[in-house]
Amino acid sequence: MSGNPDSLALKQRAVSQPTASAWVMANAGAGKTEVLTRRVMRLLARGNKPERILCLTYTKAAAAEMTERLFKRLGDWALAS
């Protein structure tokens, strides 16, 4: 995903939509983990069961980062009014 920051944000938002199939491949720091995290959060918000969601990452570090972000956001949701 290349281009200006607004274009990148639009592309990331589109790919994080759970109704679309997506393959995300980009350089380090491009926002892949953020896109996957948003996508999982949207799937959960739509009532999908966590055990029915599969995310593939290339590295254990990326998987750990995504897990950390998901747990943080889920914790924030749980404490929200």
Side-chain angles (χ1 to χ4, degrees):
M1 289 190 260
S2 62
N4 68 46
D6 292 334
S7 174
L8 178 61
L10 288 172
K11 289 177 183 177
Q12 288 177 334
R13 193 173 305 122
V15 177
S16 70
Q17 294 297 326
T19 56
S21 292
W23 175 269
V24 178
M25 188 169 106
N27 294 328
K32 297 177 299 293
T33 302
E34 180 63 26
V35 168
L36 284 172
T37 302
R38 283 189 212 160
R39 187 175 177 95
V40 170
M41 294 300 289
R42 288 177 170 180
L43 286 165
L44 293 171
R46 288 175 171 231
N48 290 281
K49 295 180 180 182
E51 63 269 21
R52 301 286 299 161
I53 299 172
L54 173 66
C55 289
L56 301 176
T57 63
Y58 189 71
T59 66
K60 288 182 182 180
E65 177 67 23
M66 188 168 52
T67 300
E68 184 178 315
R69 291 181 191 191
L70 283 168
F71 284 151
K72 164 112 177 57
R73 290 186 185 168
L74 290 170
D76 292 344
W77 273 10
L79 299 175
S81 54

